[in-house]
Structure formats: structure tokens, C-alpha cells
Amino acid sequence: MTDTKSFHEVHDTRRVYRSLLDSMARPGKLHDLSPQMNSIPNAIPLFSGTYALGRTLLDAQTTFYLETENNEAASYLELRTGSRMLAAERADYLFIETQPSVDLIRTLMQQIRIGTLLEPEKSATLIIRVRALSDSETSGITMTLSGPGIKKRRTLSADGFNPEWLRIRAARNMEYPTGCDFILISDNGQMAALPRTTMIESEAV
Amino acid sequence: MAMHTPLKQTYNYAFLDEGSKKEIRRATLKAVAIPGYQVPFASREMPIGRGWGTGGLQLTLSLIGDGDTLKVIDQGNDDSVNAVSIKKLVQACTNVAVTTDAEQATLIQSRHRIPEVPIRADQILVFQVPIPEPLRFVEPKEKKSKHLHAEMDYSGIWLRLYEDIVKWGKISIGADYPALAHKRYIFAPSPIPRYDLPKLHQAEGLFLFGAGREKKIYAIPPYTDVEPLAFDDYPFEVEHFEGCSCRLCGSTDSFLDELYDEAAGQTFYQCSDTGYCRKCRERGAQHGK
């Protein structure tokens, strides 16, 4: 593949995966994806975080949904991964690159798959771009997390993350083990996951 | 000229093709998000037989790369044929270092034991699992056992434990003792001794379980509740080794294997975790024991 400066199909996807796995295992813990994201050319019509995670997770067996302002983005991601863009209610992975309106968040969150009691793994993973992530209270919303993977409590602050996501997430994750899993990724490459098991108390700063 | 170059056929880094790795990785991520739930995956044909650790091996190969140090153990032993073969295979298709020291390893693949030294946050323990379904001995059909998990209908397995007490006066399950993960799924911890089961509860490390023949991946994330099934009046108990010590290192606080010397007609004990035993002896030698 000659589509990237040096984003390596084998080794960079593996590094992204190990960060992702540790993020899922330790909700709210920050991981730095910037080394991998910086190896992606600026000219691509996608957010480099979408590209790094897309290349790691997507292939012809999977489907995605992409919320973006760039018209070429979806077909670019299809071409690079072999995956197909489908409507939100059928997608395995939803990449949200924009700051959607409250109405759009509600619509998307109502449409996504949350799996069934028999097959809870057939549920959507949302990859949401935010402005910044931090493990201390800064601007935006501060979340106090608890649940599997967290020793007592952990703090995660997200700037540019609409609290509406969390409100509807709580409703859709009501009947564990069904639910959806969130991955937050910031402009500068900080990543944190909020799997369905994580209990979140949030407040705006 | 290309036509003069001999055709050299090599496998992909870490043996599996990237598509297979992706599929295993996606299943693993969902497994971590739903502790104890068995996520089906398309278990690949491996160059070792099914039932010889192919599930664990596929997990290891989906994880491993630069900066990793691998340890492989079989019932605690670094030098058993199965462990050595798996180590050689992984080395042949990656560039990673191997070790027998559990504290040096970043990835540990294990059959039927958890090392004596607790798994840290920067380590992952991968289990080889023969039978991932804890309900299999009360419900032989996969379709039905899946429904029992979905409805959290665990009366069958509780009844089996009760019948054990009626018949034997105690719960007779030794290894692979069923436990409840995150107060939701009963899972099979693989045939580790009961002694190892409490190590999964609220632990620092991440535990991944791979069943190659049965095509299932499941996980116990760090700091997750793992409760062995037990009754108030018949509590869960681990194996005890009162009065016994390892004949090599003298340990009295490790899991001991019982060995019988036929010629001498003697029974003796030895650490099951050979890496731990070696370190104990080295420490002993340093202190002039």
C-alpha cells in the first residue's frame, strides 16, 4: 500500500489495537495515539483518528457509519479498508467527526444497534471525536467513572463532547449486557474508552 | 532480474493474516466490554492441533509485537513440550524475546495456571481454554446454554453443586471451578486450580481466554468482581498444602505438585510454577542458604 507516509498495516494497527484494548480494559484511562496519527498524511479527507482506528478495526466483514463534513470521506474510508458505509442502524462502527446537533445525537443514538440478550456483542461501537480529553477537571464536562476496569473511581474530562451523548447512552445501556461502547478521541490524539459497563456521573465545568 | 530470484515464501508477521487478526481483535474488544461473556470468533486453522492451545495462541498472535516479551507456561511449567513448541512458533514468526521470568514478561500465555507473582497492569495473561462453557455439563446443547446465559437462568448449575453436596458432602469440582463475572455471567476460568481463582477477582492485570476448538473468546478485565459459586454454609475453599514444602526451593506458600518416587516409595512436593521456583532458589543462593 502506498496510501500513507508510514502508517504500517501490520505494526501501526497492532499498536493502535493494544492502546484500544487497554482503553477498553481500563475505562477513562488516556492513551496517546498521536505517534500513529502523525504518520498519516495530512491530505486525506478524514480525521487522522478516524483513519487510524478505521484501519485497525474495519475490513470487508464489517460496516461503518461516518458523520463528517467532507463528501469524499466515506468513499475514501471504504476504499482504504474494504468496509462499507451503511445507515446508522446497521453499522458496526460509527465514526462521529463533527459536533452534531442534539437532535442528530438523539436520532443516531436511537438508531444504533445495542445487541440482544442472546448476542450482546452485536452492538455498535461509537468513535466520537472531541476537542480535548484530560484526566483532571478542565473545561467541558467532567465524568466520574466507576465499574469494571476501574479501581474505585476515575475522572475523565472531555471538551467538545455534548452531554446529550451520555444522557441517551444511559438510557440505551439500561438493560445490561445489551448496550453500546464509546471510544472518545481528541484532536491531538488522546483516546479513552467508555464501554457499556462503565457507570458515569457527569457535570459541566 | 526478478526471474532469477528464488521464490521465498514467508508467513505474515505473527503468522496470522491481518484480516484474521482484525477479527480476533474485534471479538476481544467486545469480550472486554462484556466481562465473562463468550464472544464467538472464526477460529483459524493453526499449525498445532486444535485442543493444544490454538485459542490462546491466536490471542497471543493478535497481540504480540515490538517491545513485547513472551512467557509461555503449561501447568506452571516453562519447559513442557506444549509450552516450548508454542514459544518456538511465536519466535519463528515474530521478533519478540521470550523469558521464563513472569515479572519480565509483557504477555504470558498459560495452560491451567496463573503465575504466583500477581499480574501487573502492564501485563496480559492469555489462557488456553479447552471447554469455555461452564454450563456444558448441565446443558449439552450450545443453543440452549446460550439461552440460559441470555436469561441468566443458572438454576441448573446451582442444582448440580447442591447435588454434589448431597452426594459427597462437599462441592467436588477441583480445577475449572465456575465463577460469576461482574454479577452477570457464569464463566469457566479454564482448568486452573481453585487456588488460582481468587487471583482473578479485582486484579490489576487483564485476563483473556481463548478457546480455539470451541471458537470462543472471553475476558476478565482488571478490577472486576469474580465470585466463585458457593453456598453460605458451604463456602468456596482453595487447595491447602499444610506441612508441605517444595523440595527444590523450600517454598511453603506456593501451589505445589505432588510427585511420587516409585523407586524410593516416597511422596514429595514441588512448585508448580517453575519460573517462580527458579527465582526462589536463585534468591536463596544469593543469601547463602
Side-chain angles (χ1 to χ4, degrees), chain B residues 180-246:
Chain B
L180 189 67
H182 186 43
K183 305 199 175 354
R184 179 57 181 82
Y185 285 105
I186 290 181
F187 76 103
S190 86
I192 55 172
R194 279 175 291 166
Y195 179 90
D196 282 344
L197 191 50
K199 296 177 188 173
L200 297 174
H201 176 69
Q202 291 289 327
E204 225 182 288
L206 167 63
F207 303 99
L208 301 178
F209 298 78
R213 185 181 50 205
E214 305 289 324
K215 304 185 174 72
K216 295 284 170 56
I217 289 171
Y218 53 107
I220 298 296
Y223 305 112
T224 299
D225 285 338
V226 171
E227 300 156 85
L229 302 189
F231 298 100
D232 288 347
D233 48 348
Y234 285 87
F236 172 77
E237 276 180 38
V238 301
E239 295 87 349
H240 291 286
F241 305 95
E242 264 94 26
C244 305
S245 61
C246 172

Side-chain angles (χ1 to χ4, degrees), chain A residues 104-123:
Chain A
L104 182 55
I105 292 172
R106 285 182 186 156
T107 311
L108 284 173
M109 284 299 287
Q110 287 309 324
Q111 287 175 338
I112 57 162
R113 300 187 306 160
I114 56 164
T116 63
L117 287 176
L118 265 182
E119 296 178 316
E121 80 280 17
K122 295 200 171 160
S123 48

Side-chain angles (χ1 to χ4, degrees), chain B residues 17-83:
Chain B
D17 63 279
E18 291 307 304
S20 299
K21 285 184 200 168
K22 271 185 191 156
E23 202 256 345
I24 294 163
R25 289 167 182 173
R26 288 193 298 257
T28 308
L29 290 169
K30 285 295 176 190
V32 170
I34 315 166
Y37 171 74
Q38 302 162 55
V39 182
F41 83 112
S43 184
R44 263 61 183 180
E45 287 292 337
M46 298 303 288
I48 58 173
R50 288 217 162 130
W52 291 85
T54 53
L57 181 60
Q58 289 176 79
L59 281 173
T60 297
L61 293 172
S62 75
L63 294 161
I64 205 162
D66 295 338
D68 275 324
T69 306
L70 176 71
K71 174 181 165 83
V72 184
I73 46 173
D74 180 354
Q75 298 207 331
N77 197 326
D78 291 287
D79 307 320
S80 93
V81 178
N82 191 214

Side-chain angles (χ1 to χ4, degrees), chain B residues 160-172:
Chain B
R160 146 85 207 247
L161 297 183
Y162 171 74
E163 282 174 346
D164 243 26
I165 290 168
V166 171
K167 218 167 165 183
W168 309 106
K170 60 175 182 180
I171 294 171
S172 66

